[in-house]
Amino acid sequence: MAEIEVANLISVAEAIAVLDGTPVWPRVVRVALADAQGLCLAEDIVADRDYPPFDKSQMDGFALRLVDAGKELRVVGEIAAGQWPERAVGAGEAVAIMTGAPMPEGADSVAPVEVVKREGDRIWVEEGGARDRYISRVGSDIRAGEMVLGKGVRMEAAQIAAAASVGAAEVFVHGRPRVAVMATGDEIVDVNVTPKLGQIRNSNLPMMVALLRKMGCEVTSLGTIGDEPGKIRAAILEGLKFDALFVSGGMSMGEYDYVPGIFRELGVELKITKLKIKPGKPFVFGSVGKSVVFGLPGNPVSAFVCTVRLAARVLARLSGGAVADRWQCARLSVAVKAHGSREFYQPVRLEWSGSADAIPMVLPVNYRGSSDIFTIANSDGLLVRPADDSALTAGSLVRVLAI
Ligand code: AMP
Ligand code: MG
């Protein structure tokens, strides 16, 4: 079969439209709040009551009536956080109050200890107060029934704290996508095997496991399969039981590149086969039933770029969240040449100068091609060069995908 002309390949933007338009079915599970970390909410969480639930003092000090400010006042009691006021504050009276304690009836201002002189049960406020000063009124943070966290929000520390505040001891979240990964290639050996002549070590499989775990997936490795159609077919059949399957290698036009054909035989609708991206042209994407499949080029940098730039979008939705690319605006430290017809992801390092504009400098690293995983391993990001981008001068503003 002849190589497809670049002009006939789809663009990255077209590929993204296909990826984003493919339906996915995130699972829903109910978990204890503490186990929700990193997962996306499958329900809205609303306030079960007003917050704060009572008028609350923001300071350690004295609750009093503003009309009495400036007079000598008599301290008639004390309210600690966690207690409930036993009596109201009357004319000429004050109640010692602690931060977080409920305000007593009658009082409409708090004088902090710092501005109060005390002798026994007598106090003098040295500074004029103001109505509601140092009081959080009931419901001033959020009202009962108002939304605290919306569906799709990822639960991290602050979100877990907010859910805990409103009594959400268990929450409905989307379960981690169950993802299978496998590598193909007769020449590939495991990291703890000494390669024979012509063999190379498998870097894609551990890389995919790590990338996918970082994206919140539950990853199962189906191992490395030689370039034998029967064995590849059996492994893919197993992989199609998962929410998503990643296969590395054998996606191109070579004599032993069986994977896309086997996908088709097994009923996978291939929606993307090759696109105008560098590295990563032989990227394959399809779906069958409720599963999605990704065919990654065998070259490690291609596999890496296709996973973080393309597959990540589908996995974000499969996790029940929104697609959010981690673009960083940055400034080129050197001029870069015009470049070709495929959208190019150039590995770069980012350097923050500490200057006020806080825009990092981009230092392109020597890109030696799609097999050079060592360069990626020492990079912070991928500088995106649109298809047919013209030359750029040093100082140009560019976009970098943080990795
Ligand atoms: P392929 O996509 O199968 O044509 O492979 C393209 C290149 O990537 C070849 O040089 C392969 O040896 C290499 N390659 C394929 N799979 C892996 C892997 N799992 N780890 C590292 N390199 C690989
Ligand atoms: Mg191969």
Side-chain angles (χ1 to χ4, degrees), residues 184-185 187 227 249-250 256-257:
T184 68
E187 75 281 31
D227 292 316
Y256 300 96
D257 291 338

Side-chain angles (χ1 to χ4, degrees), residues 3-4 9-10 251-253 272-275 281-283:
E3 178 64 287
I4 301 173
L9 304 179
I10 64 167
M251 293 304 145
S252 309
M253 293 289 176
I272 301 174
T273 55
K274 300 195 184 324
L275 70 157
K281 188 171 70 167
F283 174 74

Side-chain angles (χ1 to χ4, degrees), residues 82-333:
Q83 294 179 343
W84 195 250
E86 278 166 11
R87 53 165 292 175
V89 173
E93 292 179 347
V95 166
I97 194 162
M98 311 304 146
T99 304
M103 289 292 292
E105 287 284 320
D108 56 4
S109 190
V110 171
V113 280
E114 292 85 348
V115 302
V116 172
K117 214 170 89 194
R118 181 172 189 169
E119 270 172 29
D121 66 349
R122 302 271 140 193
I123 63 164
W124 295 264
V125 181
E126 292 166 342
E127 226 172 61
R131 200 180 155 71
D132 281 354
R133 165 84 54 96
Y134 302 126
I135 299 171
S136 296
R137 287 293 178 191
V138 59
S140 57
D141 289 347
I142 202 162
R143 289 275 176 201
E146 275 182 7
M147 201 198 291
V148 174
L149 298 165
K151 252 186 213 155
V153 165
R154 191 174 293 275
M155 297 297 280
E156 291 299 344
Q159 293 73 26
I160 289 173
S165 297
V166 299
E170 291 188 339
V171 288
F172 284 107
V173 289
H174 292 293
R176 295 183 186 285
R178 294 188 186 135
V179 179
V181 295
M182 59 186 264
T184 68
D186 278 339
E187 75 281 31
I188 310 301
V189 297
D190 200 61
V191 63
N192 46 36
V193 173
T194 305
K196 298 199 188 96
L197 285 177
Q199 294 185 325
I200 60 162
R201 294 198 185 90
N202 191 349
S203 57
N204 287 351
L205 202 59
M207 176 178 78
M208 289 190 293
V209 170
L211 273 175
L212 295 168
R213 280 206 185 124
K214 197 158 178 216
M215 293 177 193
C217 302
E218 194 183 290
V219 187
T220 301
S221 171
L222 303 178
T224 302
I225 323 288
D227 292 316
E228 287 173 59
K231 288 188 177 160
I232 295 175
R233 189 179 295 112
I236 290 178
L237 258 182
E238 178 62 24
L240 291 178
K241 295 177 186 159
F242 292 76
D243 300 331
L245 166 65
F246 283 72
V247 182
S248 119
M251 293 304 145
S252 309
M253 293 289 176
E255 206 62 42
Y256 300 96
D257 291 338
Y258 299 117
V259 177
I262 295 171
F263 278 155
R264 283 203 181 90
E265 272 175 46
L266 294 175
V268 175
E269 185 197 344
L270 292 186
K271 300 176 173 183
I272 301 174
T273 55
K274 300 195 184 324
L275 70 157
K276 276 187 261 182
I277 191 170
K278 181 184 172 181
K281 188 171 70 167
F283 174 74
V284 167
F285 170 70
S287 65
V288 52
K290 289 191 171 179
S291 300
V292 284
V293 303
F294 298 91
L296 302 179
N299 270 313
V301 183
S302 308
F304 185 93
V305 168
C306 289
T307 305
V308 299
R309 178 66 182 115
L310 301 169
R313 308 180 71 84
V314 179
L315 295 172
R317 289 192 297 119
L318 199 48
S319 309
V323 177
D325 286 320
R326 296 165 61 218
W327 291 115
Q328 169 77 56
C329 178
R331 206 180 283 288
L332 273 179
S333 63

